[in-house]
Amino acid sequence: MSLDRLSIVDTTLREGEQFYNANFSQKDKIKIATQLSDFGVEYIELTSPCVSSQSKEDCQVISRMGLKSKILTHIRCIKEDVITAIDTGVAGINLFSRISLSHDRYGLGPQMSQTLEKILDVLSFARENAPELEIRFSLEDAFRTRIEDLIVIYGAVGDSGLVDRLGVADTVGYALPRDVERVIKLLHVLTGMDIEFHCHNDTGSAVVNSYTAFEAGATHIDTTVLGIGERNGITSLAGFIARLYSFEAEMVKKKYNLGNLKHLHETVARILGIGIPWDHPIVGKSAFVHKAGVHTKAVILNPKSYEIIDPSDFNASRTIMVAHKLTGWNAVKDRAQKIGLSFEDDDIKKITLKIKNISDGRNIDLKEVDEILRKSCDLI
């Protein structure tokens, strides 16, 4: 699948509102939506306007902002929700439904026929009343649903011509990459339609499953900033960008404003009152930090030896740690040069040994390392 056909549907302002610590004000939503659009996500999904009067007003306000991203809202597959959503002025509606897990035991039957009839009736109503809107239909919990049932529902919806794309949700993070590949490829062949993939991170597989879906033919991938959402959240925006970048850096650089990514994450983290996880791809504190002596030597000579992502593409910088017992003499020499000092290699090796011995028994900081370097320079 070409990146040209990929669209990110960022749902920080819908799925993200289900994060345990989230309670976005309208001002917060406007700020986040603006930054998401500036970063370049193709779609921004908002909480259903049926949730509350404030949610409805938020949809109306953000839809009128003239953002580059298309504004969507996520609603139940019922006519009342469709009417309310259309009234907000959004560019698209994402309808969802589910099949009871009881169908795993009983299979297809009258209840399935009734469910399908209701779905098609609502979709027909939506298309008749909003011919200009993008419409997506999705089944929840697709990977714990019988494949036969998926084929019946998605096949009928695809054949109806009533929707612009199909949505596939791994609602509890159940799927393995091979499951995702199988289902996405099957639906792609069965319907020939655009497919949106939504993956929860309960088992830590959201990013890899989302990339697998993209490779298998999905055209739209759902993300949130920091991966926030219900329980363990969903595919993180930074994580998915990192995965794409690692294979097609130049295309990703053209498609998205990568320098805006960290500021966007800092904004959402500040609004939520949480820190950015230290290990979060690209934007985490340790993303570009190098410590071990063997690594630091290699990175100084050739950053690509231990970096799959160039921090400068994201307006970030790498850190070569020096103040610790694992430090190597190349890192210490690099630090000396940065503060304007020059040593012979034999001398810098002796200074490195001193730093290692001191830090073996206690924590030291960069200020102390610089002091050791300056004093050593005076003695030489």
Side-chain angles (χ1 to χ4, degrees):
M1 176 62 69
S2 169
L3 272 177
D4 288 332
R5 292 203 63 206
L6 172 68
S7 291
I8 290 178
V9 180
D10 190 87
T11 181
T12 301
L13 298 179
R14 195 280 297 177
E15 174 72 46
E17 284 212 288
Q18 298 177 56
F19 179 60
Y20 78 94
N21 206 39
N23 187 18
F24 299 129
S25 67
Q26 187 176 105
K27 183 178 179 181
D28 294 335
K29 291 182 181 182
I30 290 172
K31 183 179 295 185
I32 293 169
T34 300
Q35 291 188 25
L36 283 168
S37 182
D38 289 344
F39 174 74
V41 299
E42 288 79 5
Y43 295 87
I44 296 171
E45 184 182 64
L46 305 178
T47 292
S48 169
C50 305
V51 167
S52 69
S53 58
Q54 185 61 58
S55 294
K56 182 176 181 179
E57 183 181 322
D58 293 341
C59 282
Q60 293 169 330
V61 170
I62 294 174
S63 294
R64 293 196 296 262
M65 287 174 60
L67 300 176
K68 290 176 288 186
S69 305
K70 292 182 180 180
I71 306 303
L72 311 172
T73 190
H74 185 81
I75 61 173
R76 297 168 296 180
C77 192
I78 60 176
K79 292 180 181 179
E80 293 80 2
D81 283 22
V82 171
I83 294 169
T84 302
I86 292 172
D87 191 47
T88 65
V90 293
I93 51 177
N94 288 349
L95 298 99
F96 73 95
S97 184
R98 68 167 293 138
I99 303 173
S100 170
L101 287 175
S102 66
H103 287 110
D104 287 338
R105 288 179 290 162
Y106 303 123
L108 300 175
Q111 188 176 351
M112 174 61 73
S113 299
Q114 293 168 8
T115 298
L116 180 55
E117 184 179 345
K118 290 178 182 178
I119 289 170
L120 293 176
D121 182 50
V122 174
L123 295 179
S124 179
F125 177 82
R127 181 54 71 202
E128 289 173 6
N129 285 274
E132 76 288 357
L133 293 192
E134 284 193 30
I135 299 177
R136 181 218 70 189
F137 171 77
S138 178
L139 285 177
E140 283 192 328
D141 212 4
F143 295 90
R144 293 193 298 169
T145 300
R146 285 165 36 104
I147 195 70
E148 296 91 341
D149 295 358
L150 294 181
I151 290 171
V152 169
I153 296 290
Y154 283 123
V157 171
D159 288 344
S160 74
L162 296 170
V163 303
D164 296 282
R165 65 181 176 276
L166 304 173
V168 180
D170 184 12
T171 306
V172 293
Y174 175 78
L176 292 169
R178 64 171 179 260
D179 303 320
V180 174
E181 181 180 26
R182 179 172 64 103
V183 170
I184 298 299
K185 282 186 174 180
L186 173 66
L187 295 181
H188 188 64
V189 171
L190 177 68
T191 68
M193 296 188 65
D194 285 354
I195 297 173
E196 179 177 335
F197 183 66
H198 180 94
C199 189
H200 278 257
N201 200 42
D202 299 70
T203 57
S205 302
V207 169
V208 68
N209 278 347
S210 291
Y211 188 79
T212 299
F214 166 63
E215 283 195 313
T219 53
H220 296 64
I221 300 294
D222 290 7
T223 68
T224 60
V225 177
L226 293 170
I228 61 173
E230 189 79 57
R231 303 180 312 279
N232 294 80
I234 68 165
T235 303
S236 85
L237 175 61
F240 188 61
I241 289 294
R243 183 73 282 174
L244 293 173
Y245 177 99
S246 68
F247 292 118
E248 298 188 59
E250 293 306 312
M251 186 65 182
V252 173
K253 286 159 64 174
K254 291 177 182 178
K255 194 172 177 65
Y256 301 107
N257 299 314
L258 302 183
N260 294 2
L261 190 64
K262 187 168 186 180
H263 179 53
L264 168 62
H265 281 71
E266 289 171 342
T267 295
V268 174
R270 183 172 61 253
I271 289 171
L272 292 172
I274 62 173
I276 297 174
W278 61 270
D279 60 345
H280 206 75
I282 300 172
V283 298
K285 185 176 181 179
S286 68
F288 304 109
V289 174
H290 304 276
K291 184 174 180 179
V294 174
H295 288 198
T296 55
K297 176 183 178 180
V299 168
I300 289 168
L301 295 173
N302 178 13
K304 290 184 178 180
S305 59
Y306 283 100
E307 283 181 351
I308 198 171
I309 295 168
D310 185 347
S312 65
D313 286 337
F314 295 86
N315 285 345
S317 58
R318 71 181 55 86
T319 298
I320 305 295
M321 292 188 68
V322 181
H324 56 87
K325 66 182 180 182
L326 302 179
T327 194
W329 69 270
N330 286 279
V332 176
K333 182 178 181 180
D334 182 69
R335 179 59 191 174
Q337 292 172 345
K338 279 184 169 62
I339 62 174
L341 303 177
S342 179
F343 295 92
E344 296 295 329
D345 286 354
D346 286 344
D347 292 326
I348 206 73
K349 289 176 182 178
K350 292 176 183 178
I351 296 169
T352 300
L353 182 59
K354 182 177 182 179
I355 293 170
K356 290 168 75 73
N357 289 336
I358 292 173
S359 60
D360 198 23
R362 63 180 175 84
N363 292 328
I364 64 174
D365 57 23
L366 193 58
K367 182 179 179 181
E368 189 169 351
V369 169
D370 289 350
E371 186 178 344
I372 292 170
L373 286 167
R374 291 192 176 97
K375 285 183 178 180
S376 298
C377 188
D378 292 339
L379 295 173
I380 294 173

